[in-house]
Amino acid sequence: MGLLTTAFAANPLLLEANLQDVNAELAASEAAEIVAWALSRAHRPVISTNFRPGSAALLHLVVQARPDIPVIWVDTGYNTPATYRYAEQLRRRWQLNLQTYTPRISVARREAVSGGIPRPDAADFMGFARDAKLEPFERAFNELAPDVWFTGIRAAHNTYRAGLGAVSRGPRNTLRVAPVHHWSAADITAYLEANDIPDNEDYVDPTKPDQRLECGVQFLR
């Protein structure tokens, strides 16, 4: 991988002009190889997760290679009881270095003052999404100051994510690495089954009324 080595020689993070070449060079790589490639160049890597269905596949891939990696979880406060139990199950099973970030406005306070989650077509819905997810996520990045961010985005999710590739520029000048970018839903299921990993099917995200849309985390800079 001479091109990749040369690109990192001048800067620990890839220059945007090199991203297309890097993605082409990594196109034939297995997910575990992409994880190893990124970790070998990272000084402060993190991985984010929401414990949604299928998310444990990437989490397992990364923590196998780097058991102590900070795992960012933005807990909006609106997760299902099953999701909270699932998060605790995986935390104990893999001894996760779980870094939980919560909104500054509690669910109880929002319910009392604003009447809960606004309708998706309401004028204040984007403000809710920012308070519930984007601000805690930005706070996590400000505090942990990562240079490499592992994320579970896949090309099949939507057109925007398909265009990012396995490696792209993320928020705070991080290198956003998506090792399972080209996996299908069947690939995710097969990985979970092959590694005897439980899944979580009882999940909701109040900031994404349509799962094909973006909540805004991937747009942060």
Side-chain angles (χ1 to χ4, degrees):
M1 292 189 177
L3 170 65
L4 305 184
T5 303
T6 300
F8 271 90
N11 192 313
L13 295 179
L14 289 175
L15 299 174
E16 190 163 345
N18 295 318
L19 292 178
Q20 185 175 356
D21 294 330
V22 170
N23 276 297
E25 194 164 344
L26 289 175
S29 299
E30 298 291 338
E33 294 174 328
I34 296 175
V35 171
W37 170 83
L39 286 176
S40 71
R41 291 156 172 82
H43 296 288
R44 297 179 306 280
V46 300
I47 179 174
S48 62
T49 189
N50 47 22
F51 297 104
R52 65 174 296 122
S55 62
L58 175 65
L59 190 57
H60 182 256
L61 273 165
V62 174
V63 299
Q64 276 194 120
R66 181 73 175 265
D68 65 340
I69 189 170
V71 179
I72 298 172
W73 178 29
V74 173
D75 173 14
T76 63
Y78 290 95
N79 284 295
T80 65
T83 297
Y84 286 116
R85 289 191 292 268
Y86 182 67
E88 181 62 15
Q89 178 185 10
L90 293 190
R91 186 192 68 79
R92 291 176 179 239
R93 180 171 178 171
W94 296 333
Q95 295 297 298
L96 297 178
N97 180 14
L98 192 61
Q99 305 290 315
T100 305
Y101 286 80
T102 58
R104 298 191 186 279
I105 301 174
S106 69
V107 171
R109 179 181 172 188
R110 182 174 294 281
E111 292 287 340
V113 175
S114 304
I117 304 171
R119 299 187 319 274
D121 59 349
D124 57 346
F125 182 80
M126 290 309 298
F128 160 73
R130 174 153 193 85
D131 290 345
K133 183 179 283 189
L134 302 187
E135 188 280 326
F137 188 85
E138 288 184 314
R139 194 176 347 126
F141 265 51
N142 288 337
E143 292 180 5
L144 297 174
D147 55 358
V148 169
W149 166 36
F150 289 101
T151 175
I153 61 173
R154 295 190 291 114
H157 288 155
N158 56 47
T159 302
Y160 172 72
R161 295 186 177 192
L164 290 176
V167 179
S168 58
R169 184 66 57 190
R172 301 295 186 271
N173 205 37
T174 56
L175 194 67
R176 174 170 42 201
V177 181
V180 299
H181 185 259
H182 296 298
W183 282 20
S184 65
D187 293 329
I188 296 288
T189 299
Y191 183 90
L192 295 177
E193 292 177 350
N195 290 278
D196 192 28
I197 300 171
D199 202 4
N200 174 33
E201 298 296 339
D202 187 1
Y203 173 84
V204 296
D205 184 345
T207 69
K208 290 180 66 174
D210 184 335
Q211 295 305 308
R212 295 169 298 180
L213 302 177
E214 294 287 347
C215 63
V217 166
Q218 301 300 332
F219 296 144
L220 292 175
R221 285 293 178 262

